[in-house]
Amino acid sequence: MGKLVHQTERAAFGKVIDSAMKRINKDSEKSFLKMVDLTESFAKDRFRPESYEAARKIIRDKDGKWMSYVNRILDEVSPNVIRTTAMNLGFEAMLSGTKIMHESREKYQCNIPWLILMDPTSACNLKCTGCWAAEYGHTLSLTYDELDNIISQGKELGIYFYMYTGGEPLVRKADIIKLCEKHKECAFHAFTNGTLVDDAFCEEMDRVGNLSLSISLEGYEEVNDGRRGSGVFNQVMEAMDKLKAHGQIFGTSICYTSANIDTVTSDEFLDMIIEKGCRYTWYFHYMPVGNDAAVELLPTKEQREYMYHRVREIRAVEGGKPIFAFDFQNDGEYVGGCIAGGRNYCHINPNGDVEPCVFIHYSSANIKEVSLLEALQQPLFMAYREGQPFNENHLRPCPMLENPEKLMEMVRKTGARSTDMQSPESVEHLCGKCELYAQEWKDKANELWRK
Ligand code: SF4
């Protein structure tokens, strides 16, 4: 019965998506509005009523920034990619999967994430300064069967969105495509250095339709190549040209630091990546993780405040940029603070350790030894569940960066061990590096939050 209902709902969504894609130059507004109605009737109160109204307002503003953005995607992106993304990320992951996910949370009384980030390998074709992948060593990997098994178990719990990082995930591009084929109703996303993207891979992406990319960039050639190696910036530009020519969905993954924050948020830089075909840009605040972390790269409180305003400026309907920008540290208000520990996501490193977050290298569960559900029920994840949100002020979401005493307490209480295989870092050392930052940011964050 459940399967039949799912098929009927899926077919209804597919029909509306097809008509929105076909009628783009005639009457797409009606189809998009119908999509919102359908979502509302399906998801009901899972989203706030204001969210549906906001979506309708955007759709009715035909010449507005976001409808122009959508129309450009419809004009420029491969139809198979658009349809598959809308079905997999929109229908399967956001609507149907989320329903199962909520039921699983109730049933198992633990956090069940919306997405899982996995490292297929610790191997990488580059040697970037300060990359956490290097900390795991270069010989670890999750086999195809292990990845497949995680996804199969995840789907049972309602998880239909899988991301890869590494190492360089595209070192395993054949397996990644094979998994896209096998789990064709799931959405996949890879954080990549971009240097292994070629025409053949773009064609494969086009064929499967359910894989998108975020390419790492630190700035222009000099800064980027200073960290990643000579020639990498130009290789990334070429990769973007190829992805754009093949109608693929991609964006950038940018780690902002005290040194590059002005460059990577400048109008010129954003205009460049938009011109290259990027649809989104994920901004990640630098995290001082690892025994050798460069604490001086932590943004100052003035820079953090600038970033808070700047990302909103980039997104703004009036005067903003035609790209979707999201800053994981300053946009906690949209996701209720920290999303880690399985609340919305978790990370599985190439050794199989199931960690709360890609930045939190502590765990007491390995996916090679326990089921996904057991890993989600490990003491550290249960402590996350109990403690979330770690701060009522979502501009101070992190149990490490802005509330270091919280991570220290959780790791000590649960006995989770360091998963860093090369240079295990004590939680006291890690959190000690964040204390001054947390102290300095607190007052400004509270002032902004009150506003
Ligand atoms: S642990 Fe920190 S970095 Fe990770 S999701 Fe939570 S707030 Fe973000």
Side-chain angles (χ1 to χ4, degrees):
M1 181 64 182
K3 216 170 181 182
L4 193 66
V5 172
H6 176 264
Q7 274 169 0
T8 313
E9 287 168 345
R10 193 183 152 89
F13 258 88
K15 218 169 135 192
V16 181
I17 288 162
D18 287 339
S19 79
M21 285 173 69
K22 271 190 220 135
R23 294 154 85 187
I24 183 60
N25 293 320
K26 299 174 207 157
D27 195 7
S28 56
E29 185 180 317
K30 256 192 210 158
S31 307
F32 283 118
L33 288 172
K34 206 166 165 196
M35 218 181 285
V36 179
D37 293 345
L38 211 54
T39 304
E40 190 170 14
S41 70
F42 189 87
K44 302 196 175 73
D45 51 5
R46 236 180 296 144
F47 302 108
R48 288 194 301 234
E50 309 91 86
S51 312
Y52 300 111
E53 271 327 300
R56 289 185 181 104
K57 197 173 158 207
I58 287 172
I59 293 165
R60 288 191 187 108
D61 185 9
K62 270 194 182 108
D63 302 318
K65 168 180 161 172
W66 291 116
M67 278 321 285
S68 306
Y69 174 90
V70 170
N71 287 337
R72 258 200 331 279
I73 289 181
L74 289 166
D75 287 343
E76 295 166 8
V77 174
S78 146
N80 184 42
V81 171
I82 297 175
R83 192 177 197 282
T84 313
T85 304
M87 290 309 294
N88 294 14
L89 194 58
F91 177 71
E92 297 291 358
M94 282 177 142
L95 296 176
S96 175
T98 305
K99 203 169 173 181
I100 307 169
M101 180 190 83
H102 282 292
E103 288 162 7
S104 302
R105 285 178 184 171
E106 272 302 302
K107 186 171 169 189
Y108 300 112
Q109 289 298 303
C110 65
N111 277 342
I112 304 287
W114 184 63
L115 76 91
I116 297 180
L117 176 65
M118 315 187 270
D119 298 352
T121 176
S122 62
C124 183
N125 57 327
L126 302 180
K127 282 195 177 63
C128 304
T129 319
C131 173
W132 69 66
E135 292 168 26
Y136 294 123
H138 283 271
T139 53
L140 301 167
S141 63
L142 295 170
T143 64
Y144 170 84
D145 287 341
E146 284 162 351
L147 292 163
D148 178 34
N149 195 7
I150 295 167
I151 299 167
S152 301
Q153 290 184 60
K155 288 196 294 191
E156 292 288 315
L157 298 170
I159 310 162
Y160 280 77
F161 192 17
Y162 296 86
M163 292 186 172
Y164 302 110
T165 179
E168 168 49 48
L170 298 192
V171 166
R172 298 276 301 282
K173 53 184 161 181
D175 280 342
I176 285 178
I177 292 291
K178 217 165 127 191
L179 288 163
C180 288
E181 277 173 317
K182 170 146 190 209
H183 300 282
K184 56 180 187 303
E185 70 284 42
C186 290
F188 294 91
H189 187 84
F191 289 90
T192 169
N193 62 39
T195 59
L196 298 174
V197 172
D198 53 21
D199 283 315
F201 184 65
C202 292
E203 277 161 26
E204 286 295 83
M205 284 179 70
D206 198 18
R207 182 174 65 79
V208 292
N210 55 348
L211 174 65
S212 55
L213 302 181
S214 283
I215 304 182
S216 305
L217 262 187
E218 318 295 328
Y220 293 110
E221 189 168 357
E222 197 183 330
V223 174
N224 193 72
D225 290 4
R227 176 164 180 240
R228 296 179 176 271
S230 168
V232 171
F233 180 82
N234 285 333
Q235 281 177 275
V236 166
M237 295 299 114
E238 280 167 29
M240 288 182 175
D241 291 342
K242 287 191 170 83
L243 288 162
K244 187 179 178 186
H246 285 273
Q248 297 306 296
I249 297 179
F250 64 97
T252 54
S253 158
I254 296 174
C255 173
Y256 63 92
T257 69
S258 58
N260 74 354
I261 190 167
D262 292 334
T263 307
V264 296
T265 58
S266 67
D267 282 342
E268 297 72 26
F269 186 83
L270 285 159
D271 291 344
M272 178 192 76
I273 61 172
I274 292 165
E275 172 64 30
K276 283 282 168 188
C278 291
R279 309 286 169 188
Y280 44 83
T281 177
W282 308 133
Y283 284 111
F284 294 92
H285 185 290
Y286 173 76
M287 296 290 187
V289 179
N291 282 320
D292 300 331
V295 183
E296 67 279 9
L297 288 180
L298 277 169
T300 63
K301 70 170 190 290
E302 289 79 16
Q303 288 175 318
R304 171 93 186 245
E305 185 188 2
Y306 158 78
M307 193 63 194
Y308 168 83
H309 293 298
R310 180 62 180 149
V311 76
R312 282 156 180 78
E313 236 172 62
I314 298 167
R315 277 201 299 260
V317 174
E318 299 298 332
K321 298 274 176 195
I323 189 165
F324 182 72
F326 198 84
D327 170 7
F328 286 86
Q329 223 53 34
N330 283 317
D331 281 328
E333 65 185 283
Y334 301 108
V335 286
C338 172
I339 59 172
R343 188 179 147 250
N344 285 116
Y345 111 107
C346 67
H347 175 236
I348 306 180
N349 76 13
N351 191 43
D353 299 307
V354 185
E355 302 167 332
C357 169
V358 74
F359 298 113
I360 308 289
H361 299 172
Y362 299 95
S363 172
S364 49
N366 190 293
I367 203 66
K368 298 181 188 188
E369 292 157 9
V370 300
S371 69
L372 179 60
L373 180 59
E374 284 167 329
L376 295 170
Q377 289 172 328
Q378 64 172 291
L380 182 56
F381 279 44
M382 296 308 278
Y384 259 76
R385 185 173 187 250
E386 210 176 290
Q388 282 162 331
F390 294 107
N391 202 307
E392 292 305 323
N393 177 346
H394 294 326
L395 290 170
R396 298 168 59 203
C398 188
M400 173 184 73
L401 187 69
E402 295 103 350
N403 308 277
E405 69 290 350
K406 303 256 164 135
L407 184 67
M408 209 136 59
E409 191 192 322
M410 288 194 291
V411 171
R412 281 179 184 158
K413 192 173 85 181
T414 60
R417 58 171 182 84
S418 168
T419 50
D420 182 329
M421 273 147 289
Q422 292 211 319
S423 175
E425 183 175 28
S426 73
V427 73
E428 290 77 17
H429 186 260
L430 172 67
C431 294
K433 285 176 285 181
C434 301
E435 274 165 14
L436 181 63
Y437 177 97
Q439 193 54 39
E440 288 186 341
W441 172 237
K442 187 178 162 190
D443 290 344
K444 180 48 76 181
N446 288 347
E447 183 193 317
L448 286 170
W449 190 246
R450 274 196 302 273
K451 279 186 196 162

